[in-house]
Short mmCIF file of all heavy atoms in Angstrom, two decimals:
data_model
loop_
_atom_site.label_atom_id
_atom_site.label_comp_id
_atom_site.label_asym_id
_atom_site.label_seq_id
_atom_site.Cartn_x
_atom_site.Cartn_y
_atom_site.Cartn_z
N PRO A 1277 -2.30 -6.94 3.17
CA PRO A 1277 -3.50 -7.70 3.52
C PRO A 1277 -3.17 -9.18 3.63
O PRO A 1277 -2.24 -9.66 2.99
CB PRO A 1277 -4.43 -7.45 2.32
CG PRO A 1277 -3.51 -7.19 1.18
CD PRO A 1277 -2.26 -6.55 1.75
N TYR A 1278 -3.86 -9.87 4.50
CA TYR A 1278 -3.73 -11.33 4.56
C TYR A 1278 -5.07 -11.91 4.97
O TYR A 1278 -5.89 -11.22 5.59
CB TYR A 1278 -2.60 -11.77 5.50
CG TYR A 1278 -2.72 -11.27 6.93
CD1 TYR A 1278 -3.58 -11.87 7.85
CD2 TYR A 1278 -1.95 -10.19 7.37
CE1 TYR A 1278 -3.67 -11.42 9.16
CE2 TYR A 1278 -2.03 -9.73 8.67
CZ TYR A 1278 -2.90 -10.35 9.56
OH TYR A 1278 -3.00 -9.89 10.84
N PRO A 1279 -5.33 -13.18 4.62
CA PRO A 1279 -6.62 -13.78 4.94
C PRO A 1279 -6.88 -13.73 6.44
O PRO A 1279 -6.00 -14.06 7.24
CB PRO A 1279 -6.48 -15.24 4.47
CG PRO A 1279 -5.37 -15.21 3.45
CD PRO A 1279 -4.44 -14.12 3.88
N GLY A 1280 -8.07 -13.27 6.81
CA GLY A 1280 -8.43 -13.18 8.23
C GLY A 1280 -7.99 -11.88 8.87
O GLY A 1280 -8.26 -11.65 10.05
N GLY A 1281 -7.33 -11.02 8.09
CA GLY A 1281 -6.86 -9.74 8.65
C GLY A 1281 -7.97 -8.69 8.67
O GLY A 1281 -7.98 -7.81 9.54
N ASN A 1282 -8.87 -8.79 7.73
CA ASN A 1282 -10.02 -7.87 7.52
C ASN A 1282 -10.04 -6.61 8.41
O ASN A 1282 -9.32 -5.65 8.14
CB ASN A 1282 -11.34 -8.65 7.57
CG ASN A 1282 -11.46 -9.61 8.74
OD1 ASN A 1282 -11.54 -9.19 9.87
ND2 ASN A 1282 -11.46 -10.93 8.43
N VAL A 1283 -10.83 -6.58 9.46
CA VAL A 1283 -10.98 -5.33 10.23
C VAL A 1283 -9.73 -5.01 11.04
O VAL A 1283 -9.36 -3.83 11.18
CB VAL A 1283 -12.23 -5.40 11.14
CG1 VAL A 1283 -12.25 -4.25 12.14
CG2 VAL A 1283 -13.49 -5.35 10.27
N TYR A 1284 -9.04 -6.03 11.53
CA TYR A 1284 -7.80 -5.75 12.26
C TYR A 1284 -6.83 -4.96 11.37
O TYR A 1284 -6.31 -3.91 11.77
CB TYR A 1284 -7.15 -7.05 12.75
CG TYR A 1284 -5.80 -6.78 13.38
CD1 TYR A 1284 -5.72 -6.16 14.62
CD2 TYR A 1284 -4.62 -7.11 12.72
CE1 TYR A 1284 -4.48 -5.86 15.19
CE2 TYR A 1284 -3.38 -6.82 13.29
CZ TYR A 1284 -3.32 -6.20 14.51
OH TYR A 1284 -2.10 -5.90 15.07
N GLY A 1285 -6.61 -5.46 10.15
CA GLY A 1285 -5.71 -4.77 9.23
C GLY A 1285 -6.19 -3.37 8.90
O GLY A 1285 -5.39 -2.43 8.81
N ALA A 1286 -7.49 -3.23 8.77
CA ALA A 1286 -8.05 -1.90 8.45
C ALA A 1286 -7.81 -0.92 9.59
O ALA A 1286 -7.47 0.25 9.38
CB ALA A 1286 -9.54 -2.03 8.14
N THR A 1287 -7.96 -1.39 10.83
CA THR A 1287 -7.71 -0.47 11.96
C THR A 1287 -6.23 -0.09 12.00
O THR A 1287 -5.90 1.05 12.33
CB THR A 1287 -8.10 -1.09 13.33
OG1 THR A 1287 -7.29 -2.24 13.61
CG2 THR A 1287 -9.57 -1.45 13.37
N LYS A 1288 -5.36 -1.02 11.66
CA LYS A 1288 -3.93 -0.71 11.72
C LYS A 1288 -3.50 0.18 10.54
O LYS A 1288 -2.57 0.98 10.68
CB LYS A 1288 -3.12 -2.01 11.78
CG LYS A 1288 -3.31 -2.75 13.11
CD LYS A 1288 -2.85 -1.89 14.29
CE LYS A 1288 -3.02 -2.53 15.63
NZ LYS A 1288 -2.46 -1.75 16.75
N ALA A 1289 -4.17 0.05 9.40
CA ALA A 1289 -3.91 0.97 8.29
C ALA A 1289 -4.33 2.38 8.71
O ALA A 1289 -3.68 3.38 8.40
CB ALA A 1289 -4.68 0.53 7.05
N PHE A 1290 -5.42 2.46 9.45
CA PHE A 1290 -5.88 3.75 10.00
C PHE A 1290 -4.79 4.34 10.90
O PHE A 1290 -4.46 5.52 10.80
CB PHE A 1290 -7.18 3.54 10.79
CG PHE A 1290 -7.70 4.78 11.45
CD1 PHE A 1290 -8.73 5.52 10.88
CD2 PHE A 1290 -7.18 5.21 12.67
CE1 PHE A 1290 -9.21 6.67 11.50
CE2 PHE A 1290 -7.64 6.36 13.29
CZ PHE A 1290 -8.67 7.09 12.71
N VAL A 1291 -4.25 3.51 11.78
CA VAL A 1291 -3.24 4.01 12.73
C VAL A 1291 -2.03 4.55 11.98
O VAL A 1291 -1.51 5.63 12.29
CB VAL A 1291 -2.80 2.87 13.70
CG1 VAL A 1291 -1.60 3.31 14.55
CG2 VAL A 1291 -3.96 2.47 14.60
N GLN A 1292 -1.61 3.83 10.94
CA GLN A 1292 -0.47 4.30 10.16
C GLN A 1292 -0.79 5.63 9.48
O GLN A 1292 -0.01 6.59 9.53
CB GLN A 1292 -0.11 3.25 9.10
CG GLN A 1292 1.08 3.62 8.26
CD GLN A 1292 1.17 2.73 7.03
OE1 GLN A 1292 0.24 2.67 6.23
NE2 GLN A 1292 2.28 2.03 6.90
N GLN A 1293 -1.93 5.72 8.84
CA GLN A 1293 -2.28 6.94 8.10
C GLN A 1293 -2.55 8.11 9.04
O GLN A 1293 -2.19 9.25 8.75
CB GLN A 1293 -3.51 6.67 7.21
CG GLN A 1293 -3.78 7.74 6.17
CD GLN A 1293 -2.63 7.89 5.16
OE1 GLN A 1293 -1.81 7.01 4.99
NE2 GLN A 1293 -2.57 9.03 4.51
N PHE A 1294 -3.14 7.81 10.19
CA PHE A 1294 -3.37 8.85 11.21
C PHE A 1294 -2.01 9.40 11.68
O PHE A 1294 -1.85 10.61 11.86
CB PHE A 1294 -4.16 8.24 12.37
CG PHE A 1294 -4.41 9.18 13.51
CD1 PHE A 1294 -5.20 10.31 13.35
CD2 PHE A 1294 -3.87 8.93 14.78
CE1 PHE A 1294 -5.45 11.18 14.42
CE2 PHE A 1294 -4.10 9.78 15.84
CZ PHE A 1294 -4.88 10.91 15.66
N SER A 1295 -1.05 8.51 11.85
CA SER A 1295 0.28 8.94 12.29
C SER A 1295 0.89 9.92 11.29
O SER A 1295 1.40 10.98 11.66
CB SER A 1295 1.23 7.74 12.43
OG SER A 1295 0.66 6.75 13.24
N LEU A 1296 0.84 9.54 10.02
CA LEU A 1296 1.43 10.40 8.98
C LEU A 1296 0.64 11.71 8.87
O LEU A 1296 1.22 12.78 8.68
CB LEU A 1296 1.46 9.66 7.64
CG LEU A 1296 2.27 8.36 7.62
CD1 LEU A 1296 2.15 7.66 6.28
CD2 LEU A 1296 3.74 8.62 7.94
N GLY A 1297 -0.67 11.60 9.00
CA GLY A 1297 -1.53 12.79 8.88
C GLY A 1297 -1.27 13.80 9.99
O GLY A 1297 -1.12 15.00 9.73
N ILE A 1298 -1.22 13.32 11.23
CA ILE A 1298 -1.01 14.30 12.31
C ILE A 1298 0.41 14.86 12.28
O ILE A 1298 0.65 15.97 12.71
CB ILE A 1298 -1.37 13.77 13.72
CG1 ILE A 1298 -0.56 12.55 14.11
CG2 ILE A 1298 -2.85 13.51 13.84
CD1 ILE A 1298 -0.79 12.14 15.57
N ARG A 1299 1.31 14.09 11.71
CA ARG A 1299 2.67 14.63 11.57
C ARG A 1299 2.66 15.87 10.68
O ARG A 1299 3.36 16.84 10.94
CB ARG A 1299 3.58 13.55 10.98
CG ARG A 1299 5.00 14.00 10.89
CD ARG A 1299 5.98 12.87 10.95
NE ARG A 1299 7.03 13.08 9.98
CZ ARG A 1299 7.81 14.14 9.91
NH1 ARG A 1299 7.65 15.13 10.77
NH2 ARG A 1299 8.74 14.25 9.00
N CYS A 1300 1.83 15.84 9.64
CA CYS A 1300 1.69 17.04 8.79
C CYS A 1300 1.18 18.21 9.62
O CYS A 1300 1.69 19.32 9.56
CB CYS A 1300 0.66 16.81 7.67
SG CYS A 1300 1.06 15.51 6.54
N ASP A 1301 0.14 17.94 10.41
CA ASP A 1301 -0.49 19.03 11.18
C ASP A 1301 0.44 19.57 12.25
O ASP A 1301 0.35 20.74 12.63
CB ASP A 1301 -1.78 18.53 11.85
CG ASP A 1301 -2.83 18.15 10.81
OD1 ASP A 1301 -2.70 18.58 9.65
OD2 ASP A 1301 -3.77 17.43 11.16
N LEU A 1302 1.32 18.72 12.75
CA LEU A 1302 2.20 19.12 13.86
C LEU A 1302 3.51 19.74 13.36
O LEU A 1302 4.38 20.06 14.18
CB LEU A 1302 2.50 17.90 14.76
CG LEU A 1302 1.27 17.40 15.55
CD1 LEU A 1302 1.53 16.01 16.12
CD2 LEU A 1302 0.91 18.38 16.65
N ALA A 1303 3.62 19.93 12.07
CA ALA A 1303 4.84 20.54 11.51
C ALA A 1303 5.09 21.88 12.21
O ALA A 1303 4.17 22.69 12.38
CB ALA A 1303 4.69 20.75 10.01
N GLY A 1304 6.31 22.09 12.64
CA GLY A 1304 6.66 23.36 13.29
C GLY A 1304 6.50 23.33 14.80
O GLY A 1304 6.97 24.23 15.50
N THR A 1305 5.85 22.31 15.33
CA THR A 1305 5.68 22.23 16.79
C THR A 1305 6.84 21.52 17.47
O THR A 1305 6.97 21.58 18.69
CB THR A 1305 4.40 21.43 17.15
OG1 THR A 1305 4.57 20.06 16.71
CG2 THR A 1305 3.16 22.03 16.51
N GLY A 1306 7.63 20.79 16.70
CA GLY A 1306 8.72 20.00 17.29
C GLY A 1306 8.26 18.62 17.74
O GLY A 1306 9.08 17.82 18.20
N VAL A 1307 6.96 18.35 17.62
CA VAL A 1307 6.46 17.03 18.04
C VAL A 1307 6.75 16.01 16.94
O VAL A 1307 6.48 16.24 15.77
CB VAL A 1307 4.94 17.07 18.34
CG1 VAL A 1307 4.41 15.66 18.64
CG2 VAL A 1307 4.65 18.00 19.50
N ARG A 1308 7.32 14.88 17.35
CA ARG A 1308 7.65 13.82 16.39
C ARG A 1308 6.59 12.73 16.44
O ARG A 1308 6.01 12.47 17.50
CB ARG A 1308 9.02 13.24 16.72
CG ARG A 1308 10.09 14.31 16.63
CD ARG A 1308 11.46 13.76 16.81
NE ARG A 1308 11.76 13.44 18.20
CZ ARG A 1308 12.85 12.81 18.58
NH1 ARG A 1308 13.73 12.40 17.68
NH2 ARG A 1308 13.10 12.57 19.85
N VAL A 1309 6.33 12.11 15.30
CA VAL A 1309 5.31 11.06 15.24
C VAL A 1309 5.84 9.88 14.44
O VAL A 1309 6.37 10.06 13.33
CB VAL A 1309 4.00 11.55 14.58
CG1 VAL A 1309 2.91 10.48 14.71
CG2 VAL A 1309 3.52 12.86 15.18
N THR A 1310 5.68 8.70 14.99
CA THR A 1310 6.17 7.48 14.33
C THR A 1310 5.12 6.39 14.35
O THR A 1310 4.43 6.19 15.36
CB THR A 1310 7.42 6.95 15.07
OG1 THR A 1310 8.43 7.97 15.06
CG2 THR A 1310 7.97 5.69 14.41
N SER A 1311 5.01 5.68 13.24
CA SER A 1311 4.18 4.48 13.17
C SER A 1311 5.12 3.28 13.17
O SER A 1311 5.96 3.15 12.28
CB SER A 1311 3.36 4.53 11.87
OG SER A 1311 2.88 3.26 11.52
N ILE A 1312 4.97 2.41 14.17
CA ILE A 1312 5.80 1.20 14.21
C ILE A 1312 4.95 0.02 13.79
O ILE A 1312 3.80 -0.13 14.25
CB ILE A 1312 6.37 0.97 15.62
CG1 ILE A 1312 7.29 2.15 15.96
CG2 ILE A 1312 7.11 -0.36 15.71
CD1 ILE A 1312 8.44 1.86 16.86
N GLU A 1313 5.48 -0.79 12.89
CA GLU A 1313 4.67 -1.83 12.25
C GLU A 1313 5.28 -3.22 12.45
O GLU A 1313 6.00 -3.74 11.59
CB GLU A 1313 4.52 -1.46 10.76
CG GLU A 1313 3.70 -0.20 10.59
CD GLU A 1313 4.23 0.77 9.53
OE1 GLU A 1313 4.92 0.33 8.60
OE2 GLU A 1313 3.96 1.99 9.67
N PRO A 1314 5.01 -3.84 13.61
CA PRO A 1314 5.61 -5.15 13.89
C PRO A 1314 4.92 -6.28 13.13
O PRO A 1314 3.72 -6.24 12.86
CB PRO A 1314 5.38 -5.34 15.40
CG PRO A 1314 4.92 -4.03 15.92
CD PRO A 1314 4.27 -3.32 14.77
N GLY A 1315 5.73 -7.29 12.83
CA GLY A 1315 5.19 -8.52 12.26
C GLY A 1315 4.99 -9.56 13.35
O GLY A 1315 4.67 -9.22 14.50
N LEU A 1316 5.22 -10.81 13.00
CA LEU A 1316 4.96 -11.92 13.92
C LEU A 1316 5.73 -11.76 15.23
O LEU A 1316 6.96 -11.79 15.24
CB LEU A 1316 5.35 -13.24 13.25
CG LEU A 1316 5.05 -14.50 14.06
CD1 LEU A 1316 3.55 -14.74 14.16
CD2 LEU A 1316 5.75 -15.70 13.43
N CYS A 1317 4.99 -11.58 16.30
CA CYS A 1317 5.60 -11.37 17.61
C CYS A 1317 4.97 -12.32 18.61
O CYS A 1317 3.75 -12.52 18.58
CB CYS A 1317 5.40 -9.93 18.04
SG CYS A 1317 6.06 -9.61 19.68
N GLU A 1318 5.77 -12.88 19.47
CA GLU A 1318 5.24 -13.81 20.47
C GLU A 1318 4.74 -13.03 21.68
O GLU A 1318 5.52 -12.45 22.43
CB GLU A 1318 6.34 -14.78 20.90
CG GLU A 1318 5.79 -15.84 21.85
CD GLU A 1318 6.78 -16.96 22.07
OE1 GLU A 1318 7.92 -16.87 21.59
OE2 GLU A 1318 6.38 -17.93 22.73
N SER A 1319 3.42 -13.00 21.84
CA SER A 1319 2.85 -12.31 23.01
C SER A 1319 1.42 -12.76 23.22
O SER A 1319 0.85 -13.51 22.41
CB SER A 1319 2.89 -10.79 22.80
OG SER A 1319 1.90 -10.41 21.89
N GLU A 1320 0.85 -12.25 24.29
CA GLU A 1320 -0.54 -12.56 24.65
C GLU A 1320 -1.52 -12.17 23.54
O GLU A 1320 -2.63 -12.65 23.48
CB GLU A 1320 -0.85 -11.76 25.91
CG GLU A 1320 -1.71 -12.46 26.91
CD GLU A 1320 -1.92 -11.56 28.12
OE1 GLU A 1320 -2.84 -10.73 28.09
OE2 GLU A 1320 -1.14 -11.69 29.07
N PHE A 1321 -1.08 -11.24 22.68
CA PHE A 1321 -1.87 -10.77 21.54
C PHE A 1321 -2.50 -11.95 20.79
O PHE A 1321 -3.68 -11.93 20.44
CB PHE A 1321 -0.93 -9.98 20.63
CG PHE A 1321 -1.49 -9.59 19.30
CD1 PHE A 1321 -2.14 -8.38 19.14
CD2 PHE A 1321 -1.34 -10.42 18.19
CE1 PHE A 1321 -2.66 -8.01 17.90
CE2 PHE A 1321 -1.85 -10.06 16.95
CZ PHE A 1321 -2.51 -8.85 16.81
N THR A 1322 -1.70 -12.99 20.56
CA THR A 1322 -2.20 -14.13 19.77
C THR A 1322 -3.19 -14.97 20.57
O THR A 1322 -4.16 -15.50 20.00
CB THR A 1322 -1.01 -14.98 19.28
OG1 THR A 1322 -0.20 -14.14 18.46
CG2 THR A 1322 -1.47 -16.17 18.46
N LEU A 1323 -2.97 -15.07 21.87
CA LEU A 1323 -3.95 -15.81 22.69
C LEU A 1323 -5.29 -15.09 22.67
O LEU A 1323 -6.35 -15.72 22.61
CB LEU A 1323 -3.45 -15.92 24.13
CG LEU A 1323 -2.60 -17.13 24.48
CD1 LEU A 1323 -2.29 -17.14 25.97
CD2 LEU A 1323 -3.29 -18.44 24.07
N VAL A 1324 -5.26 -13.76 22.73
CA VAL A 1324 -6.50 -12.97 22.67
C VAL A 1324 -7.17 -13.18 21.31
O VAL A 1324 -8.37 -13.42 21.21
CB VAL A 1324 -6.22 -11.47 22.92
CG1 VAL A 1324 -7.46 -10.62 22.67
CG2 VAL A 1324 -5.70 -11.25 24.33
N ARG A 1325 -6.35 -13.13 20.27
CA ARG A 1325 -6.89 -13.23 18.91
C ARG A 1325 -7.57 -14.57 18.67
O ARG A 1325 -8.56 -14.66 17.95
CB ARG A 1325 -5.76 -13.04 17.89
CG ARG A 1325 -6.25 -13.00 16.47
CD ARG A 1325 -5.17 -12.59 15.50
NE ARG A 1325 -5.78 -12.03 14.31
CZ ARG A 1325 -5.12 -11.41 13.35
NH1 ARG A 1325 -3.83 -11.26 13.44
NH2 ARG A 1325 -5.75 -10.93 12.31
#
Side-chain angles (χ1 to χ4, degrees):
Y1278 57 79
N1282 47 68
V1283 169
Y1284 174 71
T1287 63
K1288 291 299 180 175
F1290 177 99
V1291 171
Q1292 182 194 58
Q1293 193 62 20
F1294 178 64
S1295 307
L1296 300 176
I1298 59 172
R1299 184 153 138 57
C1300 299
D1301 295 342
L1302 291 166
T1305 65
V1307 175
R1308 299 185 285 172
V1309 188
T1310 301
S1311 161
I1312 297 211
E1313 293 138 26
L1316 184 69
C1317 178
E1318 185 169 6
S1319 74
E1320 218 179 86
F1321 171 91
T1322 300
L1323 270 185
V1324 172
R1325 185 171 204 170

